[in-house]
């Protein structure tokens, strides 16, 4: 790009405006072009390193191809998709680690709170560890209750089991 050449006086005036932030892009390009040429008056030589650096930066910006808007949108969309996927994975991971470790319903744990089992003289109180034995004992009691109910039913022909006093005596005999 060829631009008009500015004289020393115009260069000084443009440099003052440049330092005050009042120059346009076209005027700044004129300043950079003059400093690139190497023909710099003595009064302006102090600005040479800064202008060389700025000229280099603006030249590299001009040479950098602009990213088309649709490509920028695709990139943003890609990163948003990745961020959403990371959030889903993080939520699932937190959910898995935060879930309760007990597999039995809380109702059973409330029922057996404070229970313990003694095996070989050692007392065990961890419900997760002793729950299978507690449930086994509960099933055994239920079986015995059913057996007792069957025996009482079979005695109905022999003893008057409809009498509440007789029924209570039989039930207490079987519960001991």
């Amino acid at each position: 790009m060829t631009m008009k050449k500015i004289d020393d006086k115009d260069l000084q005036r443009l440099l003052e405006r440049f330092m005050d932030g009042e120059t346009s892009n076209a005027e700044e390009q004129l300043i950079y072009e003059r400093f690139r040429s190497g023909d710099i008056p003595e009064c302006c030589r102090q600005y040479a390193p800064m202008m060389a650096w700025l000229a280099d930066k603006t030249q590299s910006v001009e040479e950098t191809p602009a990213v088309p808007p649709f490509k920028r949108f695709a990139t943003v969309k890609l990163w948003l998709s990745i961020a959403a996927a990371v959030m889903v994975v993080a939520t699932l991971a937190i959910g898995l680690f935060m879930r309760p470790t007990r597999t039995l319903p809380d109702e059973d744990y409330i029922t057996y709170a404070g229970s313990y089992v003694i095996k070989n003289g050692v007392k065990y109180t961890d419900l997760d560890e002793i729950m299978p034995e507690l449930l086994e004992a509960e099933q055994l009691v239920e079986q015995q209750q059913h057996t007792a109910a069957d025996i009482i039913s079979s005695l109905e022909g022999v003893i008057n089991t409809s009498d509440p006093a007789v029924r209570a005596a039989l039930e207490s005999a079987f519960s001991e």
Side-chain angles (χ1 to χ4, degrees):
M1 167 161 47
T2 307
M3 298 191 156
K4 70 175 189 172
K5 191 159 175 122
I6 54 173
D7 62 16
D8 293 350
K9 188 175 184 174
D10 285 339
L11 179 62
Q12 287 177 344
R13 184 184 54 77
L14 283 174
L15 279 174
E16 286 175 20
R17 290 188 54 226
F18 178 84
M19 295 301 177
D20 292 336
E22 298 173 351
T23 53
S24 67
N25 285 339
E27 290 170 325
E28 289 174 12
Q29 291 303 319
L30 286 172
I31 295 170
Y32 300 150
E33 188 64 37
R34 176 71 189 266
F35 274 89
R36 266 193 222 108
S37 73
D39 180 25
I40 306 164
E42 188 63 38
C43 63
C44 300
R45 289 191 193 271
Q46 63 184 358
Y47 301 112
M50 177 179 69
M51 290 301 157
W53 184 82
L54 287 171
D56 182 50
K57 292 298 173 198
T58 57
Q59 188 176 17
S60 65
V61 167
E62 289 172 0
E63 292 171 359
T64 304
V67 178
F70 66 90
K71 228 173 189 182
R72 272 186 276 157
F73 177 73
T75 303
V76 169
K77 188 176 178 183
L78 172 69
W79 281 110
L80 287 175
S81 299
I82 291 170
V86 167
M87 290 301 295
V88 167
V89 169
T91 302
L92 289 174
I94 289 171
L96 288 174
F97 288 118
M98 299 292 287
R99 71 172 191 197
T101 56
R102 293 184 171 163
T103 55
L104 295 173
D106 288 336
E107 182 180 304
D108 288 340
Y109 283 88
I110 292 170
T111 303
Y112 293 111
S115 296
Y116 60 91
V117 171
I118 297 178
K119 285 195 254 181
N120 299 327
V122 179
K123 182 177 180 180
Y124 296 92
T125 58
D126 182 11
L127 286 179
D128 286 329
E129 188 177 330
I130 66 172
M131 188 58 75
E133 292 181 45
L134 292 174
L135 294 175
E136 185 180 321
E138 186 177 313
Q139 286 177 345
L140 183 62
V141 168
E142 286 176 6
Q143 285 176 350
Q144 289 176 349
Q145 286 175 339
H146 287 297
T147 302
D150 291 343
I151 292 172
I152 291 172
S153 296
S154 67
L155 291 176
E156 283 186 14
V158 179
I159 302 172
N160 183 9
T161 55
S162 61
D163 181 8
V166 172
R167 192 165 208 44
L170 285 173
E171 285 176 357
S172 103
F174 283 114
S175 65
E176 291 178 358

